[in-house]
Amino acid sequence: MRKNSPNIRALKLLHSFCPSYFLLLVLKSFFAKLSPYFNLYLSAEIINEIIGTRNKDTLITLVLVTVLGNFAIAVIGGILNRVFNHKETLLYQREAQYYNTKTLTLDYDNLENPEVRQLRRKITESSKINFHGKQLLLNSIGYLVNITINAVLALILGIEMFVLMFASGFSWLIVLLACLIVGLVAFNVWYSFRQKDKMGQVSRNVSQTMIDENRIDNAIDCYNIGKDVRLYRQDKLIMKIKNYAFDLHKKAFRTMESKRYKLNIPLTVAGVLLEAIIYVFVCVYALLGAFGIGSIIKYVGFVETIAGCITSYFSVFADIKYNTPFVEDYLAYFDIPQKMYQGSLTVEKRDDNEYYVEFKDVSFKYPGAETYALRHVNIKFKVGERLAVVGMNGSGKTTFIKLMCRLYDPTEGEILLNGVNIKKYDYDEYLAVFSVVFQDFKLFSFPLGENVAAGTDYDTEKVTSSLRQSGFGERLASMPDGIKTPLYKDFDNNGVEVSGGEAQKIALARALYKNAPFIILDEPTAALDPIAEYEIYSKFNEIVGDKTAIYISHRLSSCRFCDKIAVFDNGQIVQRGSHDELVSDENGKYRELWYAQAQYYTE
Ligand code: ADP
């Protein structure tokens, strides 16, 4: 691990979530490893005493030390384990919060960006399936600590063995033993690295096939697709895709297992050989009188442990190396810059609500897109005005709103709020100026009141009046638990399923509750029945009050109450004016759209 390597960076980040985690890891590992050595050491002493002088007092002392020592180790180890588990949970919880906060605060263009979505999917899926990434890194550090403690404890015993062996005078035998052990361990290390490299690709294949299979399971699980599956009998198609993905996964898994089995044979042979050699040497030294027969177990345990530790060290480092690309992905996600948050200017809180927004020669291309979604848009409007934005599908209406709300920044030109480029404002403050109901708005499976207020602390009166204003009053009266009724059944079996039109009214109430100077409605009545639509329009002025309303629709009849209408075509504003002005322009787009729709009502 180089300095500033991704692994060091990731460890520093994880450490910041729970600083005591690593210290506790060392302590709990020490106590977990201490017990076998303690027993190994004392049982050898007891056997040597029984074979040797058989001193009763010494034997009683040794037995007492063994029993009490084991008890103390078990108690301290148990406490440390509990504290460690608690800290581990805390670390993962804080890490999840950090990760989710990153996702929730990503600049919107990155949230939509397929590469970022792919990166996020890779991180979550591979960590779920094979613990790759932060978890494998933490596990590896856990192993490293364990191995190190094991090696240190074993070495303490080992020093005693070497002193006794050298004292017995057959030092050439020690050199031979050391050479054989070093040779076999070197083979293990070399072979483990080679094996990890060879296994790397096959296990990555298995991960990918599991990710694909999981994705299909997630889709099957999603009850939103249930209707279409039943109506179009897509169950067979889905099962075919699922079986295909399952077969691929099975095949990749079998390939991995058989490769692992074949690759493991030399390691197993080397392990058995190592053990046999160690036994022979330690027994030979015991017979030569270097130490008592009881010490055989102790010293065999030591040599085996040291050899095992060396092999394990390299195996863990190979794991860390193999896991590094996953850690890099993990960090890359946090490294995605947040350019939306660079502004610091506060938005002037104006009692007179005199805000105005201006688009100055704004053009915009979606990331990766070839063509412009908006071209040379120039428009200015101030609080209190009613602006309708009309145009055919794909003409750029929603993009115009997304830019105004700074979900994206313009590719060219600038957008000003009260004469200042909106990039200069503090992002949260700027967003507070807008209430938006997008066409594809989302409600959450939370209680109704929390949906409207977008929070858990809310003003009950204000929630209720916003719901009444948006036309949800009657339905609210029939809700079993009023504004506390949960929506949908994802988290609560008593949740209420609301219709598309009802959901749209709730979304409108959410916008009204926010009470921002600008209210933007993207096809706000698309899911409403004609009567509900009429109700909303007839009291639109009352609902919107003195706010600026920007209203997007391709239903031109519903835009007539607006002071200004901007007609979008092919990413440009091609006309603007009042309904009467626009409809009288015989060559204009508005008139074409107006009559195209009007014919259905007039014929
Ligand atoms: P409207 O709201 O008028 O139906 P949009 O503003 O949604 O139109 O779309 C304008 C153009 O931008 C269309 O050509 C559409 O395909 C394209 N577009 C919209 N969203 C995206 C996106 N996230 N990525 C790439 N292109 C997009």
Side-chain angles (χ1 to χ4, degrees), residues 101-292:
T101 306
K102 177 73 191 177
T103 306
L104 291 168
T105 55
L106 271 182
D107 288 347
Y108 189 76
D109 58 349
N110 281 324
L111 191 71
E112 274 197 346
N113 183 337
E115 278 173 29
V116 173
R117 290 164 68 164
Q118 180 67 19
L119 177 65
R120 197 172 49 241
R121 200 173 294 147
K122 232 165 101 184
I123 295 169
T124 43
E125 295 287 341
S126 29
S127 89
K128 257 192 259 166
I129 293 165
N130 282 344
F131 305 119
H132 287 143
K134 57 165 195 297
Q135 192 160 350
L136 188 53
L137 177 64
L138 275 182
N139 291 350
S140 302
I141 296 300
Y143 288 135
L144 274 186
V145 169
N146 272 311
I147 298 165
T148 310
I149 291 172
N150 226 358
V152 170
L153 290 170
L155 263 177
I156 295 170
L157 287 186
I159 291 167
E160 183 187 272
M161 178 185 96
F162 278 115
V163 168
L164 294 172
M165 279 180 167
F166 273 112
S168 71
F170 296 92
S171 43
W172 59 272
L173 260 179
I174 303 173
V175 176
L176 184 61
L177 170 67
C179 287
L180 283 170
I181 291 175
V182 168
L184 279 167
V185 168
F187 169 78
N188 273 6
V189 169
W190 167 78
Y191 194 79
S192 294
F193 262 91
R194 201 170 148 257
Q195 189 195 28
K196 281 262 155 54
D197 272 348
K198 286 196 168 181
M199 287 302 293
Q201 192 47 47
V202 273
S203 49
R204 269 194 289 275
N205 289 347
V206 175
S207 293
Q208 190 52 51
T209 55
M210 284 170 114
I211 289 173
D212 294 341
E213 207 193 330
N214 251 21
R215 223 176 278 168
I216 299 164
D217 286 343
N218 291 342
I220 293 174
D221 232 17
C222 176
Y223 70 86
N224 286 338
I225 69 159
K227 284 196 294 294
D228 301 270
V229 166
R230 278 154 188 77
L231 282 165
Y232 293 98
R233 302 299 320 155
Q234 283 168 312
D235 46 340
K236 291 195 182 71
L237 174 68
I238 290 177
M239 282 320 292
K240 201 168 154 189
I241 299 170
K242 163 80 187 163
N243 288 340
Y244 178 68
F246 180 73
D247 286 343
L248 283 185
H249 169 201
K250 208 167 59 182
K251 209 167 135 200
F253 189 75
R254 273 206 206 122
T255 313
M256 182 180 80
E257 282 303 291
S258 85
K259 194 155 196 137
R260 194 204 304 275
Y261 178 75
K262 280 184 206 145
L263 285 170
N264 267 342
I265 294 173
L267 276 183
T268 315
V269 172
V272 172
L273 215 62
L274 189 66
E275 195 161 334
I277 290 170
I278 294 165
Y279 258 104
V280 169
F281 273 84
V282 175
C283 289
V284 166
Y285 269 97
L287 291 175
L288 290 171
F291 34 74

Side-chain angles (χ1 to χ4, degrees), residues 112 366 369 373 391-400 402 408 439 522:
E112 274 197 346
Y366 279 99
M392 301 208 295
N393 284 339
S395 59
K397 303 182 296 293
T398 305
T399 308
F400 170 69
K402 283 183 181 170
Y408 290 95
Q439 204 175 341
D522 190 352

